[in-house]
Amino acid sequence: MPTLYHFSHDATIRRFEPRPSRLEEALVWAVDAAHAWSYCVPRDCPRACFWAGPATTREDIARFFGGDSSRIDMVLEDGWLAALQSASLWRYTLPDSSFVLLDAIAGHWVSREAVEPVALVEITDLPGEIRAAGVNLRGLPSIIEVWREVIGSTLEFSGTRLSFAHDYPDEWR
């Protein structure tokens, strides 16, 4: 099992209880260590993350990454960059015993049982943490425009809190 994390602005959580989710089931959510960088942002920060996978075409690697198939991008709205610079988060390490893999591409794991964290670390340099994972972090006026391109490509991707984007389309609600 991988190392699993939960990120929060709250350093006082002693037990994670399953909560209702978009899956209409009460769950505790975690992300694996390989994808932890994607949660090193303020809670409501919309972000589009994408990278090449086994099925990604050479054309998409050239189009999105200039030919570099090892590149990983995280795109935020320009308006979130200042908040990212000044925010800090707490990274909880969770025991993996009750978790099951929900989404291998995004690294999402879920537990239907309450979970008590085994470690807690404060992260004070969020952009540094993202870049240390080898991720190309950049801001754009709109992430929805790039998101539409990414989801229509052969890239692997994860989009989180997209509904908080300033130009989130009504038809996606």
Side-chain angles (χ1 to χ4, degrees), residues 56-115:
T56 302
T57 65
R58 287 191 311 263
E59 292 79 17
D60 280 343
I61 292 169
R63 176 179 168 207
F64 288 92
F65 305 127
D68 182 357
S69 63
S70 67
R71 192 165 126 186
I72 302 169
D73 277 17
M74 175 189 272
V75 180
L76 311 179
E77 290 181 336
D78 288 331
W80 280 93
L81 294 175
L84 180 71
Q85 291 287 341
S86 62
S88 64
L89 290 173
W90 294 92
R91 183 183 69 207
Y92 289 87
T93 304
L94 303 178
D96 61 20
S97 58
S98 65
F99 282 88
V100 295
L101 181 62
L102 180 69
D103 181 344
I105 291 174
H108 294 160
W109 294 72
V110 293
S111 174
R112 290 167 178 81
E113 302 172 16
V115 177

Side-chain angles (χ1 to χ4, degrees), residues 17-29 110-114:
E17 296 289 343
R19 296 186 338 185
S21 72
R22 62 180 169 82
L23 300 178
E24 299 179 14
E25 179 180 5
L27 300 167
V28 174
W29 288 77
V110 293
S111 174
R112 290 167 178 81
E113 302 172 16

Side-chain angles (χ1 to χ4, degrees), residues 29-41:
W29 288 77
V31 64
D32 61 36
H35 299 88
W37 54 268
S38 66
Y39 283 86
C40 291
V41 297

